[in-house]
Amino acid sequence: MLAVKMSTQHQIMDSSLSLGKLEIKTPGSLDISHSGPMKGKTVQDGAPTHLNGCVPLSHQVAGHKYGVDKVGILQHPDGTVLKQLQPPPRGPREMQFYSQVYAEDCSDPVLLELQRYLPKYFGAWSSPDSPADLYLKLEDVTRKFHQPCIMDVKIGQRSYDPFASQEKREQQIKKYPLMEEIGFLVLGMRVSSLVSPKEIT
């Protein structure tokens, strides 16, 4: 296990990484060292591989999908999920959030309670074949289910960053006009039926 040291303007946090080492010196700079793939369970045979045996996440229902306009979310051969780090400030801020919640010395009761509702965080991951691409390595919370029902929901009244430009704000408001009123947005869902169609009335 290697350690990750994250330095921000006001605080320094340590988190254990299962693969690789990351240092954030400033909000826009990343120093990454990586290691080879972890040993573990293999993905389904015949699925197209992307990085070190990773494949597109089969049960993704919304967001940037593999082969469309982004790399999308990937499944690591060990069964974890890889979410590509977004450009600053969103990506480093998201990683800082997970590192703070899952810090070994975390004693904040709110953060400890929050762990119950989040996928486990296994640090940052990058492939030797593509070291510039950094991913958050997360637990696949659907792995124990045979036919999971999945819904992707944005919770809140705004879908834009607090520091977004006026143009971006207007674009997002126009895209999801009811979000400010109802406080959530369903982006996609998938339901697995355990009964045959003829049994549905």
Side-chain angles (χ1 to χ4, degrees):
M1 300 284 273
L2 299 173
V4 60
K5 196 170 189 179
M6 300 184 63
S7 174
T8 63
Q9 293 176 347
H10 302 290
Q11 62 190 60
I12 297 176
M13 293 179 288
D14 291 324
S15 173
S16 62
L17 285 180
S18 55
L19 284 175
K21 177 182 178 183
L22 169 75
E23 286 185 21
I24 300 183
K25 294 181 178 177
T26 65
S29 67
L30 298 178
D31 289 340
I32 306 163
S33 63
H34 52 266
S35 60
M38 290 178 62
K39 293 180 180 180
K41 294 184 178 180
T42 58
V43 295
Q44 294 178 349
D45 293 336
T49 59
H50 181 69
L51 294 172
N52 289 55
C54 300
V55 296
L57 187 65
S58 62
H59 46 270
Q60 182 180 351
V61 296
H64 299 294
K65 294 188 178 181
Y66 177 82
V68 180
D69 58 342
K70 300 279 183 181
V71 172
I73 297 179
L74 302 173
Q75 186 113 44
H76 191 277
D78 66 6
T80 56
V81 171
L82 301 176
K83 181 184 180 188
Q84 190 168 32
L85 199 70
Q86 298 179 56
R90 295 173 68 185
R93 186 170 59 212
E94 183 179 21
M95 184 161 55
Q96 178 180 333
F97 166 76
Y98 275 108
S99 297
Q100 185 175 1
V101 171
Y102 284 103
E104 290 183 11
D105 60 349
C106 179
S107 58
D108 186 323
V110 174
L111 297 183
L112 293 173
E113 175 69 14
L114 191 58
Q115 291 179 8
R116 297 176 53 198
Y117 305 98
L118 295 174
K120 290 183 178 66
Y121 174 60
F122 301 104
W125 182 89
S126 65
S127 165
D129 299 331
S130 188
D133 295 328
L134 190 66
Y135 296 81
L136 301 178
K137 200 166 192 287
L138 303 167
E139 172 192 16
D140 180 0
V141 296
T142 68
R143 198 172 186 201
K144 60 185 178 182
F145 298 102
H146 179 59
Q147 290 184 304
C149 297
I150 298 167
M151 179 183 289
D152 190 326
V153 183
K154 280 185 183 287
I155 299 175
Q157 293 181 301
R158 297 173 182 84
S159 60
Y160 51 83
D161 189 282
F163 304 104
S165 66
Q166 185 61 32
E167 180 183 0
K168 178 69 172 179
R169 291 176 184 227
E170 291 175 0
Q171 178 191 39
Q172 290 298 306
I173 291 171
K174 185 178 179 181
K175 192 174 181 182
Y176 312 119
L178 284 176
M179 193 167 184
E180 290 190 346
E181 182 180 340
I182 64 176
F184 70 93
L185 174 69
V186 177
L187 296 174
M189 64 183 296
R190 186 183 74 179
V191 178
S192 297
S193 176
L194 298 181
V195 295
S196 62
K198 63 183 178 182
E199 295 175 311
I200 299 175
T201 58

